[in-house]
Amino acid sequence: MRINKLRQCAEYFVSRGSPIFMTDLDAKKAFDRLNHIKLFHQMCDAGIPLCFVKLLINWYSKISVFIKWNNCYCACCVLKSGVRQGGVLSPVLFNIYISSVIKSLGLSDLGCHIQGVYIGCLLYADDIILLSASVRSLEKMLDICYVSGSEIDIVFNAKESTLFAVGKYCDTTIEDLKIDDDTISWSDRLKYLGVYFKSGHTLLIDSEVTMRKFYAAASAIYSHAKSASEVTVLFWMETFCFPLLSYASEALSYTKQQITQLNVCWNRAYRKAFHMNDWDSVKGLQMLCGRLDFMHIYDERKLVFWCRISSLTNVVMQACYNNFSITRDFTSLTHKYDVIIGQCAVNSVREKMFTNFNATDV
């Protein structure tokens, strides 16, 4: 969802002739610095049921640590800050904790808006992106983050943070910005939630990283699957490798060349698993196995994604959907499969994919 919001926001402003400037803010040891007392106050202010708050108070008041050195143990120390790294609840608690920073940004009204809806800050746990159509506003947003963050013991790491520009000023040299007295530098690449973006006149996706990860995972499987059956190897590829290739694809907009390259990657996996030559077509094999090629899986995921988005009542997602509905990508997708997004049942999308896949030339 957040990757889609980032892309839609960038496309919305660039298509209207405006640049967009972003900051990927890194919070120093964000989960470790979360103060328990302030967290519980934030939860009460957010209207979270008192019984749930008391349950967390009971849990976190019993967390203690000690150090073992050879056969000696130090005295136990009760932890009064921090949440578990990798815990299911930890990102949710951090979102509540840092909500005061987000509220301050919203009240300032600085940053990007789409159809009157504020999208100046995208947040998931400690992955924070600030978006603005002007560098001056972005600088003010950084000041707000510093002041509001200091109140809840959140410190932002300028060295690990990145400035990123998309649009007509992507090639222009812009002076670095500061948060407190630390300098944040501009970069032509941005990593957000595992997706790598490149600066340009439009928001570009770095698919080379995705393909490298896919080939590395596939090679690891092939090296340990010499005696396994073809179907077993294909199952492993679909389980461990294909998710790397298709990660967040429904929220991204690949070029035709990139889709072709990703499709070639996935076809090579079939050829390797079934001991086929590089020049052999795998379409017949995919049809026999009841599978689709990457191109149709990509289109299927996008159709299902936008069908679900169209039914949401969230104002931000509705603004993103309204923006997507007037793009060429939307028109091309609906005409290609003869569907009306919002009226097409999700279950019928796969049938349309197979019908179209079977009708295409080998």
Side-chain angles (χ1 to χ4, degrees):
M1 292 291 188
R2 288 161 183 82
I3 295 172
N4 177 62
K5 292 175 186 176
L6 175 64
R7 184 176 70 85
Q8 290 298 320
C9 189
E11 291 182 358
Y12 179 84
F13 280 86
V14 171
S15 64
R16 287 160 175 77
S18 171
I20 183 167
F21 305 98
M22 312 179 195
T23 303
D24 175 23
L25 273 181
D26 177 77
K28 286 184 180 179
K29 298 182 179 179
F31 283 13
D32 296 332
R33 299 179 68 92
L34 191 151
N35 184 286
H36 293 165
I37 302 301
K38 293 182 179 180
L39 170 64
F40 300 140
H41 280 295
Q42 294 267 29
M43 293 177 72
C44 292
D45 293 340
I48 294 174
L50 189 59
C51 58
F52 184 68
V53 178
K54 287 182 177 180
L55 175 64
L56 289 179
I57 292 174
N58 181 268
W59 284 356
Y60 280 98
S61 63
K62 297 177 180 177
I63 297 177
S64 59
V65 296
F66 62 87
I67 299 173
K68 178 183 177 182
W69 181 265
N70 291 330
N71 293 321
C72 300
Y73 298 85
C74 74
C76 285
C77 175
V78 177
L79 292 182
K80 297 182 180 180
S81 63
V83 291
R84 293 179 183 272
Q85 292 284 347
V88 176
L89 197 58
S90 297
V92 179
L93 295 177
F94 186 80
N95 285 350
I96 296 171
Y97 188 71
I98 204 171
S99 60
S100 59
V101 178
I102 311 305
K103 288 178 182 177
S104 298
L105 288 169
L107 291 173
S108 71
D109 210 32
L110 296 169
C112 293
H113 295 72
I114 294 182
Q115 298 176 1
V117 179
Y118 183 72
I119 315 184
C121 178
L122 301 180
L123 167 73
Y124 181 72
D126 56 346
D127 288 304
I128 307 168
I129 294 280
L130 304 181
L131 305 104
S132 174
S134 74
V135 177
R136 185 177 180 83
S137 294
L138 187 62
E139 189 173 25
K140 292 180 179 178
M141 293 171 74
L142 288 172
D143 292 337
I144 291 172
C145 287
Y146 170 72
V147 173
S148 300
S150 299
E151 294 174 355
I152 55 173
D153 303 323
I154 294 293
V155 178
F156 295 103
N157 187 356
K159 291 183 179 179
E160 297 297 328
S161 301
T162 304
L163 295 170
F164 186 74
V166 178
K168 58 186 179 181
Y169 295 131
C170 64
D171 298 325
T172 305
T173 301
I174 305 174
E175 186 178 352
D176 293 338
L177 302 183
K178 289 189 175 184
I179 182 165
D180 190 19
D181 293 326
D182 299 321
T183 301
I184 304 178
S185 303
W186 291 92
S187 175
D188 60 350
R189 292 181 182 272
L190 172 72
K191 180 186 177 184
Y192 182 59
L193 297 179
V195 177
Y196 291 82
F197 296 99
K198 294 189 293 185
S199 178
H201 293 286
T202 59
L203 185 63
L204 304 173
I205 306 157
D206 189 354
S207 58
E208 295 293 331
V209 177
T210 301
M211 290 189 287
R212 285 198 299 270
K213 289 181 178 179
F214 172 80
Y215 282 128
S219 297
I221 287 178
Y222 292 141
S223 65
H224 294 86
K226 295 178 181 179
S227 60
S229 66
E230 291 88 347
V231 176
T232 301
V233 175
L234 179 61
F235 172 76
W236 288 343
M237 291 292 295
E238 291 177 328
T239 304
F240 300 108
C241 300
F242 187 74
L244 299 173
L245 203 63
S246 61
Y247 173 71
S249 58
E250 62 272 18
L252 302 174
S253 183
Y254 287 117
T255 63
K256 289 183 179 180
Q257 181 182 3
Q258 287 176 319
I259 294 173
T260 301
Q261 291 172 341
L262 294 170
N263 194 59
V264 168
C265 285
W266 189 230
N267 287 348
R268 283 178 177 171
Y270 274 88
R271 293 189 182 98
K272 190 74 173 177
F274 289 88
H275 311 290
M276 300 171 67
N277 296 315
D278 290 342
W279 57 84
D280 291 334
S281 172
V282 299
K283 180 181 176 182
L285 177 61
Q286 289 170 333
M287 292 172 61
L288 185 64
C289 295
R291 263 71 165 185
L292 296 168
D293 62 358
F294 179 85
M295 291 182 177
H296 286 81
I297 295 174
Y298 173 68
D299 287 344
E300 178 191 13
R301 290 171 68 117
K302 292 202 79 167
L303 276 172
V304 171
F305 177 75
W306 285 110
C307 282
R308 289 173 175 165
I309 292 296
S310 66
S311 62
L312 296 179
T313 56
N314 181 281
V315 291
V316 176
M317 297 313 302
Q318 278 297 318
C320 290
Y321 174 76
N322 292 336
N323 180 57
F324 176 70
S325 65
I326 59 174
T327 62
R328 291 182 180 179
D329 196 11
F330 178 90
T331 304
S332 173
L333 203 58
T334 53
H335 285 183
K336 183 177 180 180
Y337 298 103
D338 191 25
V339 297
I340 301 175
I341 295 179
Q343 299 181 18
C344 178
V346 172
N347 295 335
S348 67
V349 172
R350 191 162 186 82
E351 296 177 9
K352 292 181 179 292
M353 291 296 142
F354 276 104
T355 301
N356 185 275
F357 181 51
N358 296 338
T360 55
D361 296 331
V362 177

